[in-house]
Amino acid sequence: MTRVRPPFWSQAVLLVAAVMPLSLAERQSAMPLVWQWFHLGLVLAAVGAGAFALWMRRYPLLGPRVGYVTIIAAFGLLLIELFESGSAPVMALSHFLILVCVCRLLQDQTPRDQAQFYVLTLLLLIVAAIVSGNLLFPVVLALYLTVGIRSFIQLHLAIESARVSRHNRAAGTEGSGEGHAPRLRAAIGPLLMLNLVMLVVGAVLFVLFPRVGGGMLGHVERRAYAGAITGLAGSLTFERVGPIQMSERQVMTVKIEDEFGHSLGPEVGEPYFRSMVFDQYGRGSLGRGQPWEWRVVSPRDAAPPDVVCRANEVTGEISLIPGIDTTFQRAVLVQKYWLQPDELRYLYSCYPALLIRSRQFSEIRKRISDQTIQVYLPRSTAIRYEVMSAPSVSPLLLDRLAREREDEHQPSVLLPEPPLPRESELRRLIADIDAQAGTSGSLDDPGKRERFVEAVMQFLHSDRFSYTLNPAPVRRGSEPIGDFLLDDRRGHCEYYASALALLCQYRGVPARVVVGYLGGDYNGVGEYYMVRERHAHSWTEVFVPGRDWVRYDPTPPGQGGSQRNRWWLRAYTYVDYLQFQWNNQVVGFDDNVRRALFSGFADWLRRPIGQHTTWMGSVQAFIGEMIFWRAELSPQDRLLYYVFSIMVTALVVLLGYVVLVSLRWLVSTIAARCAGGGRADARPEVEFYQRFLLRLKHLGLQRRPEQTPAEFAEELARNWPAFAPAPELVQAYYGVVFGRRVLPDDHRVAIEAFLQALRSLSPQQMMAAATDLHPTQAPPTEKSN
């Protein structure tokens, strides 16, 4: 098969468009930055090299042999990535497809190679749909529909032109037919119509058949590499794995409102979204070689560690604290979460959470001692839920929490296990803090306990400590928090929270470390927080009698919260808002959202109808409301109802027109068949003209694309005497098809005689007749079926 130069720029656009959402998806994984953009950079470099080669007229850059070697090497890299690096299979496959497409882009291609290139880029787009939830994907999809369909049409026309050229050369007709393919401009109208139809059909299918589980838009599995990133893990371990890097991966979006539905932003303080709580510090049970870490340990005489809470069958709400009726709460904090898929099935909330509601689950598992919440859903599932929390602990709430813990006084103090190597030095440090704060003796008094905690906070905020994401390595055999408090004094939020908790525990005060997220990038347009992994934070909760567990953040101010580039944030706010809407309305569109959407639309549609239940009465009531304005509707709602009425009317008119045209066509077809007496020759063009074309094909003759049927018939009559009646046959065909004339009987008899003569004519006889007529002209090439 002949190799030709491919449509370079169309293929370059398709390849870049398919790779960009993949690179953005990898940007949210735990890969080093250089690898996140490697394949997109490779594609852009290949496009630049190909453009330079075109400009220098040295295209192609790669020959067939080099291309084969490159593809074999790409397959070897695929195996290495699958079995050695532990990469996600779908991403490893996409990397292999990218390398193959880059190789194809820089080579001459046969039509089959071009078709393979378009199929491979389509596969890349499908992978992007699986792993990318970015707003760029619909733009890329629309671009691919336009450029990709255009390229497919162009390739089809080129293949057809080549096929016609081969047939004409074999038949010996004038011209080769190359370069005479129909121009692509004629296909622009159908192309736009096809795109519009595909978008409309896709939108209808999207609404009617929502995603199930992970669905079309999922996430890229996180990878491990030599280093650490910000974010949450299943444990809090002090083990040196490399410098901590700030990750931009999105974790969740949260909208916070008060009891009246008013949005609350950073002006009321950045929220703390709790996840896991650790209450004892120590070393693993295997002994000295284990790292120091925080873990969850329940006292032996405590209440059951967790309990299953189920939703109310009527309201769908899950009450988290027995005996608390949220309808009588004077103030509440409502948090609306859209949680990205992850491996930790903890539900975030602000402490203390009173109830939770969601359409995705009907039960949760709550840990009584620390009020953390877990839900068991597939890891690839994004979760929507709403939490109602109390902004402060009231006496009634304090009593309910104590009863649930079965401890009306205070929780037990869990000292480190095994004892810390430098415990005596830490106790001397605590004595110095007590002396400076005047808190010696018992700390049962709430005010005195709070003064001690504040004194420790001041000690940690002094200039003797410094915040860093790159603390000193943990020396072999040493304990990191003791070294942080006594020697190095350089660390991040986990060190500060652990230090405060340990000092409180050694002083006899119950304390624990909490991990979660602090604030986020606040979007003023959508009034929500975009929480990323770089907002991960650790803080301390200390039990204060009469106030329950109180949050203290010992990390120096300005270090644990959001760190935003404010010079570009204002412009990015609108893009981020569009991404938020895309995530909520498209990426998160599932069966629950669809039911809520239809239910809300049905409720909105019933407002002008009132109490009518029959179909006819509802329509009459709706029309009457549009005319007489009886219901109390806002101007915006009334305008929307008018727009909806106009759209429904236009749709009914359009459907009626389609039905009317279809009926007219059906009636005319039946009438034509009845007028023809049911004969097989009711459409003469099917009988005689199609038989004429089939006989020409058998003789190896085919019309060139630039010829009309009449011109082709005249050429046949000039070259072969046997085809002298051909022009009359074509004119009869024109009269029947375009003039709607009935073919006379004498013409029908003449045409039948001509077709019978052609049937007895062989290609050898036709060539002999052409040689006798034109003795100096070479006979046409023989071709027969």
Side-chain angles (χ1 to χ4, degrees), residues 553-713:
D553 192 350
T555 304
Q559 303 295 337
S562 31
Q563 301 173 359
R564 297 173 284 186
N565 299 319
R566 298 183 179 276
W567 65 271
W568 61 272
L569 183 61
R570 182 172 299 180
Y572 180 74
T573 297
Y574 295 94
V575 178
D576 189 71
Y577 176 70
L578 294 176
Q579 178 69 54
F580 171 73
Q581 294 296 338
W582 172 259
N583 288 342
N584 281 271
Q585 305 301 328
V586 179
V587 177
F589 186 84
D590 54 13
D591 189 56
N592 294 318
V593 179
R594 185 189 65 168
R595 287 200 299 265
L597 178 65
F598 286 172
S599 176
F601 177 75
D603 293 340
W604 176 81
L605 198 59
R606 291 192 193 98
R607 289 179 60 189
I609 296 175
Q611 301 298 324
H612 293 275
T613 57
T614 63
W615 171 257
M616 185 59 67
S618 300
V619 173
Q620 292 177 354
F622 192 92
I623 296 175
E625 174 58 34
M626 295 298 98
I627 298 175
F628 300 107
W629 292 17
R630 296 171 180 172
E632 296 182 359
L633 301 175
S634 64
Q636 295 84 355
D637 277 343
R638 196 172 296 279
L639 178 62
L640 289 177
Y641 284 122
Y642 278 118
V643 172
F644 174 76
S645 303
I646 294 173
M647 292 176 60
V648 171
T649 304
L651 181 61
V652 171
V653 172
L654 179 61
L655 291 177
Y657 174 76
V658 171
V659 172
L660 181 62
V661 171
S662 301
L663 289 176
R664 288 181 59 185
W665 173 83
L666 182 61
V667 170
S668 62
T669 302
I670 295 175
R673 289 187 177 274
C674 292
R679 298 194 311 260
D681 60 351
R683 295 183 61 191
E685 72 277 8
V686 176
E687 283 297 314
F688 70 88
Y689 187 69
Q690 293 297 332
R691 289 163 55 195
F692 175 66
L693 294 180
L694 289 174
R695 190 57 192 163
L696 291 180
K697 183 178 180 181
H698 175 72
L699 295 172
L701 301 174
Q702 189 167 357
R703 179 169 59 91
R704 296 192 300 273
E706 73 274 12
Q707 284 182 314
T708 64
E711 292 173 347
F712 185 43

Side-chain angles (χ1 to χ4, degrees), residues 39-62:
H39 292 90
L40 179 59
L42 177 65
V43 170
L44 294 177
V47 171
F52 180 77
L54 286 175
W55 180 58
M56 297 296 293
R57 298 183 179 179
R58 295 180 179 177
Y59 192 88
L61 289 177
L62 300 180

Side-chain angles (χ1 to χ4, degrees), residues 478-501:
S478 63
E479 185 275 310
I481 303 304
D483 293 346
F484 169 74
L485 281 169
L486 301 171
D487 297 329
D488 186 62
R489 295 181 175 177
R490 296 175 66 252
H492 42 74
C493 59
E494 294 176 353
Y495 283 83
Y496 283 90
S498 301
L500 176 59

Side-chain angles (χ1 to χ4, degrees), residues 210-255:
R211 299 188 309 113
V212 179
M216 181 183 68
L217 300 175
H219 73 294
V220 180
E221 294 290 339
R222 298 172 55 87
R223 301 184 187 184
Y225 69 98
I229 63 167
T230 51
L232 298 188
S235 61
L236 186 55
T237 303
F238 296 91
E239 183 177 7
R240 181 64 171 175
V241 293
I244 296 180
Q245 300 183 13
M246 306 295 285
S247 171
E248 293 294 325
R249 180 178 180 270
Q250 297 178 5
V251 177
M252 57 184 171
T253 54
V254 188
K255 192 168 186 177

